Amino acid sequence: MKQSSKCAIGGIVASLSLVLMISVAIVPFMTYALPAMAGALIVFIVIEIDKKWAFGVYAAVAILGMFLVPEKEVAAMYLALFGYYPILKAIIEGHIKITILEWALKLLIFLATMVSAYLVMIKLFGLTLDEMDEWGKWAVPILLGTGSVAFVLYDIAITKLIVLYNYKWRKRFRKYFK
């Protein structure tokens, strides 16, 4: 693939990712879905170019997102997990062949990232978790448990997206970007 095509694909994915995250101003209830969708776009860079370029696009979107996205929690979720997870998923699945170990590592990364991200958001941005008062001591386990279920579904959705792309869209895509 030509260098110009790589730049074009990277620019398209970066701009679409930013548009998705900025659109939280229009649909504020999609605080977690929009950075997840933006992160899923990185899959195309991983497949068509390579992981180095994908990290570059992730870094560009993460930096611009911190400045441009009106809801800082959306930008933080992209930065903390959703932006680099498709790249990490490719690395993990490429190196670890035992499914249970793959899932254990993915869930461990998710849980560590979420706890770290929320601690940073609470300390730096003054974010409050209103659910804490309502649920008491069970708030954190409930949030991490439901988050883990959502994360597993996200991982499965990315896998389905990769399969769909490879079997249905890749030939058409390659016609336009050589």
Side-chain angles (χ1 to χ4, degrees):
M1 185 177 287
K2 296 179 193 172
Q3 198 72 6
S4 59
S5 292
K6 292 178 183 179
C7 287
I9 294 167
I12 290 167
V13 167
S15 61
L16 285 172
S17 296
L18 282 167
V19 166
L20 278 170
M21 291 195 306
I22 290 170
S23 65
V24 74
I26 300 166
V27 280
F29 58 89
M30 295 190 72
T31 302
Y32 301 106
L34 291 172
M37 286 188 273
L41 293 174
I42 296 288
V43 165
F44 303 114
I45 303 293
V46 173
I47 293 171
E48 290 300 333
I49 304 173
D50 64 23
K51 293 173 196 82
K52 288 180 186 177
W53 272 83
F55 270 118
V57 171
Y58 156 71
V61 173
I63 291 167
L64 289 171
M66 293 309 273
F67 293 112
L68 300 175
V69 175
E71 179 70 42
K72 296 306 174 205
E73 189 176 4
V74 171
M77 286 294 106
Y78 182 86
L79 174 70
L81 178 69
F82 292 119
Y84 69 84
Y85 181 71
I87 306 164
L88 194 61
K89 175 180 171 59
I91 293 169
I92 291 170
E93 291 177 357
H95 287 84
I96 300 175
K97 298 300 178 195
I98 301 168
T99 306
I100 225 141
L101 288 177
E102 276 182 21
W103 280 106
L105 182 58
K106 290 176 187 179
L107 282 169
L108 181 66
I109 290 168
F110 168 75
L111 292 170
T113 301
M114 287 299 103
V115 169
S116 301
Y118 272 100
L119 287 174
V120 168
M121 285 189 287
I122 288 167
K123 298 292 183 194
L124 291 180
F125 300 126
L127 179 76
T128 60
L129 293 176
D130 299 330
E131 294 86 10
M132 291 289 196
D133 297 334
E134 205 173 301
W135 295 91
K137 67 180 182 178
W138 296 104
V140 172
I142 288 171
L143 287 173
L144 289 176
T146 56
S148 295
V149 170
F151 174 74
V152 168
L153 293 174
Y154 177 67
D155 185 274
I156 292 168
I158 288 179
T159 301
K160 299 289 185 189
L161 176 68
I162 291 167
V163 170
L164 179 67
Y165 177 75
N166 281 329
Y167 288 108
K168 294 271 183 180
W169 300 333
R170 194 167 191 191
K171 288 178 190 170
R172 291 182 193 144
F173 180 84
R174 289 204 166 197
K175 282 183 199 175
Y176 298 108
F177 295 98
K178 295 177 184 179

